[in-house]
DNA sequence: TTGTAAGCGTTATCAA
DNA sequence: TTGATAACGCTTACAA
């Protein structure tokens, strides 16, 4: 491996001069600098990240943690993060799995964006306590080294319920997510509050887990006990898609017998027939904002927690209830 | 930051003893080892990856490079890679974007799995020439430090065409992928060969680029010149989905007026109506195999290039041609 | 069984 | 403007 030592020898200068030249320091003359750069290129010199990181105590790389790699969910979010980091001359690595938990405490990355339920809040707090900077997208933890960028789940859930009610529906199912999902719990909480405001509505909860299969099972249950036109708020689009799948093999139709609304506005939701009504938010913006917050945290700039706003997408899966 | 030096001081031993103890070496007695471990824990000692990597000249981390993060395509592939690497005590990072190209030459990772058209083959060759180990999934490059695990595109394309012909179709469109896609070019090549075997078939190529939009455009073109039942082989599922989308707004039906087959067996393809016929292969296995090849390459074990086999999934989007 | 010491490839301080 | 040198935190001969 060719190191600055080799360059120094060949150029007849000291390693410190080489280091300065390579880093574009104005301390070294044009002339020597040019010579050194030429030799470096000639020798195919590549700096060693470990050595630099060890010395500088920073890596200029941010890690994003995901529970797993499945789902079409993360693409835009990651793209938003990548763009934002690139603009600020930071690199990005996407991680999942147990092994990767080490990267933050072992200082392979300068900070982490977490959307990963395999991290316990305790673990996260421990890292924060050690001085590591973290932005969390899937729960709430108060610590000076932790910032959160959360969805406005309450607004989203309320929009969904209000929309259903406005359309004249009087029978409502809610299909929930897993209990360890912060987003699901927030949405459910808001739903219950909203439901209280509409006492005339027959309200039922069905336990789900954010998977298509859960949506299918929920649809099955609903159709088995079908006695009138019903509305269903699936706490994510994935489960709503599951409902469509189940319905496809029945006589019942979405937006007719059962009116469905989801949450997330996944790309596939654009292509369902009828178009799924859902709650939308900019995943790209979410990622960009999370990155910005993290970089500020690293720079020591004070930050407030941020919120991602949501909007209602009116598809055809929720329509006016006709007796 | 607490280092082995601090532990050594507190334990009254030398740093080398601490290092040995921490690494579970049998050279140090149970007793001292226990003491050292206790102190390490007490001080919240965390090893520094950069220092270890610098010294050991390896990181035990593999990088996977993707062109971008969009598309539901990569989930299972990454999951396959992650599982395989974890079993072998290697970590995984997923990378995209210009900045990340540095990770391999700068030795942040011990090897790379590449499915990323932003790498030129020259660049890859340069790295291989420098001694870096690479497994490539999206093209063919011959080098001792490079191995490839490629799809059996030829078999897949042939299966698709044969299936269409068996069903009695006599008018065939092929919607191609981008010209810089190795997979697309291989599939197209096989299609042309197959087409030659069936001279009675009216054969037309439509240029596409693997996006939904390309599929929509292709469908538009086909329907505009519609004069008889036609079959279309979309060189990936994404474009086939695009065709469905276009058709949804027309009088024409997939599997009736136009018979469609794709390639990839994306998850969404399971949910199309009618179920999309396509070419399937195990993305998880692809990932696992790629990882294994890479680890062998790193260990210096000789490896042959590998091939991922494909099968035909018969949906309802291709059916018997009825005059 | 433990300690000494060199060295991995950088950066950065201080002198020259 | 350049050079000598220490230091970053760790591993690993080799010596004791």
């Amino acid at each position: 491996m060719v190191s600055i030592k080799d360059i120094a020898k060949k150029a007849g200068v000291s390693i410190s001069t080489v280091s300065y030249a390579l880093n574009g320091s104005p301390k070294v003359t044009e002339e020597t600098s040019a010579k050194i750069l030429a030799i470096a290129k000639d020798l195919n010199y590549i700096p060693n990240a470990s050595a630099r990181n060890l010395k500088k105590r920073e890596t200029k790389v941010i890690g994003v943690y995901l529970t797993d790699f499945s789902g079409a969910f993360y693409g835009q979010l990651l793209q938003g993060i990548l763009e934002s980091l690139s603009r600020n001359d930071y690199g990005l690595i996407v991680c999942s799995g147990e092994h990767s938990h080490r990267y933050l405490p072992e200082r392979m990355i300068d900070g982490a964006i977490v959307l990963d339920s395999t991290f316990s809040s305790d673990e996260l707090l421990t890292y924060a306590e050690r001085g590591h900077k973290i932005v969390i997208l899937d729960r709430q933890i108060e610590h000076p080294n932790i910032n959160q960028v959360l969805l406005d789940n309450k607004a989203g859930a309320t929009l969904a319920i209000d929309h259903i009610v406005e359309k004249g529906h009087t029978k409502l199912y809610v299909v929930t997510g897993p209990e360890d999902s912060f987003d699901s719990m927030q949405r459910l909480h808001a739903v219950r509050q909203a439901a209280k405001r509409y006492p005339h509505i027959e309200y039922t909860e069905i336990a789900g887990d954010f998977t298509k299969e859960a949506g299918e099972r929920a649809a099955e249950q609903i159709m088995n006990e079908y006695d009138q036109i019903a509305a269903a708020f699936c706490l994510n689009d994935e489960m709503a898609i599951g409902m469509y799948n189940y319905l496809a093999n029945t006589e019942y139709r979405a937006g007719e017998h059962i009116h469905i609304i989801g949450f997330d506005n996944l790309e596939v939701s654009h292509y369902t027939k009828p178009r799924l009504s859902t709650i939308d938010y900019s995943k790209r913006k979410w990622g960009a904002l999370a990155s910005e917050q993290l970089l500020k945290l690293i720079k020591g700039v004070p930050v407030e927690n941020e919120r991602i706003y949501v909007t209602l997408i009116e598809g055809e899966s929720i329509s006016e209830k006709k007796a």
Side-chain angles (χ1 to χ4, degrees), chain A:
Chain A
M1 196 198 297
V2 14
S3 75
I4 54 170
K5 223 183 237 172
D6 304 300
I7 301 177
K9 203 178 300 170
K10 190 147 181 189
V13 298
S14 74
I15 59 162
S16 49
T17 305
V18 174
S19 178
Y20 286 133
L22 255 21
N23 289 296
S25 160
K27 311 175 82 173
V28 41
T29 53
E30 280 286 313
E31 196 187 3
T32 38
S33 182
K35 184 170 75 180
I36 289 169
L37 264 2
I39 292 176
K41 185 158 198 179
D42 190 50
L43 294 181
N44 282 319
Y45 168 76
I46 299 282
N48 180 299
S50 298
R52 190 189 336 106
N53 296 342
L54 173 59
K55 182 66 194 180
K56 301 198 70 169
R57 299 155 146 279
E58 67 167 8
T59 64
K60 287 276 188 179
V61 175
I62 297 300
V64 175
Y65 285 93
L66 303 178
T67 307
D68 58 51
F69 293 120
S70 70
F73 182 81
Y74 303 115
Q76 292 176 66
L77 180 77
L78 293 174
Q79 215 61 39
I81 295 174
L82 179 60
E83 283 161 19
S84 167
L85 291 180
S86 296
R87 264 196 303 279
N88 291 280
D89 205 35
Y90 269 79
L92 164 67
I93 66 177
V94 181
C95 315
S96 184
E98 211 187 339
H99 192 285
S100 62
H101 283 223
R102 314 164 69 96
Y103 301 159
L104 186 63
E106 294 192 354
R107 307 189 117 81
M108 271 185 51
I109 52 180
D110 291 349
I113 295 172
V114 178
L115 190 64
D116 184 344
S117 61
T118 70
F119 279 86
S120 73
S121 296
D122 268 357
E123 184 180 1
L124 260 7
L125 261 176
T126 308
Y127 297 150
E129 200 54 44
R130 284 209 174 95
H132 298 288
K133 313 298 185 180
I134 307 172
V135 167
I136 308 190
L137 308 188
D138 64 354
R139 76 194 83 176
Q140 213 146 7
I141 303 180
E142 287 305 321
H143 190 282
N145 286 331
I146 297 180
N147 186 269
Q148 33 248 311
V149 182
L150 300 173
L151 293 180
D152 195 344
N153 287 306
K154 176 167 182 181
T158 308
L159 278 172
I161 299 295
D162 286 353
H163 183 59
I164 287 169
V165 173
E166 268 168 30
K167 292 296 188 180
H169 292 276
T170 52
K171 182 168 186 183
L172 169 66
Y173 290 92
V174 168
V175 189
T176 68
E179 299 211 348
D180 63 356
S181 158
F182 178 78
D183 287 326
S184 172
M185 288 328 249
Q186 275 207 320
R187 291 169 199 175
L188 183 58
H189 185 71
V191 166
R192 287 174 178 162
Q193 281 196 311
K196 270 195 212 130
R197 295 204 320 270
Y198 304 111
H200 66 288
I201 287 189
E202 187 187 332
Y203 169 75
T204 314
E205 288 177 12
I206 299 178
D209 60 6
F210 276 176
T211 66
K212 278 199 194 69
E213 291 69 34
E216 293 177 25
R217 282 193 303 272
E220 184 179 10
Q221 175 184 333
I222 293 170
M223 295 344 277
N224 281 343
E225 62 194 42
Y226 192 77
D227 59 351
Q228 59 168 299
I229 291 177
F233 177 22
C234 295
L235 260 30
N236 77 351
D237 275 13
E238 193 86 11
M239 296 193 295
I241 303 289
M243 283 205 165
Y244 273 69
N245 293 339
Y246 178 82
L247 293 175
N249 301 314
T250 71
E251 302 280 274
Y252 298 109
R253 293 287 156 259
E256 193 170 331
H257 310 283
I258 174 165
H259 295 243
I260 305 176
I261 184 167
F263 202 118
D264 283 343
N265 194 23
L266 292 190
E267 214 206 333
V268 286
S269 309
H270 300 243
Y271 301 112
T272 56
K273 301 290 284 185
R275 206 292 187 204
L276 179 66
S277 295
T278 186
I279 302 299
D280 182 43
Y281 50 89
S282 170
K283 291 153 203 84
R284 172 174 249 104
K285 193 167 163 188
W286 197 12
L289 199 50
S291 315
E292 283 164 28
Q293 297 291 93
L294 183 55
L295 295 186
K296 281 183 190 163
L297 222 41
I298 289 172
K299 285 199 194 88
V301 179
V303 282
E304 298 272 307
N305 289 340
E306 288 277 356
R307 190 169 290 287
I308 298 295
Y309 296 101
V310 303
T311 57
L312 171 72
I313 302 276
E314 291 193 43
E316 295 99 37
S317 64
I318 297 268
S319 56
E320 205 73 42
K321 177 177 179 183
K322 301 167 237 181

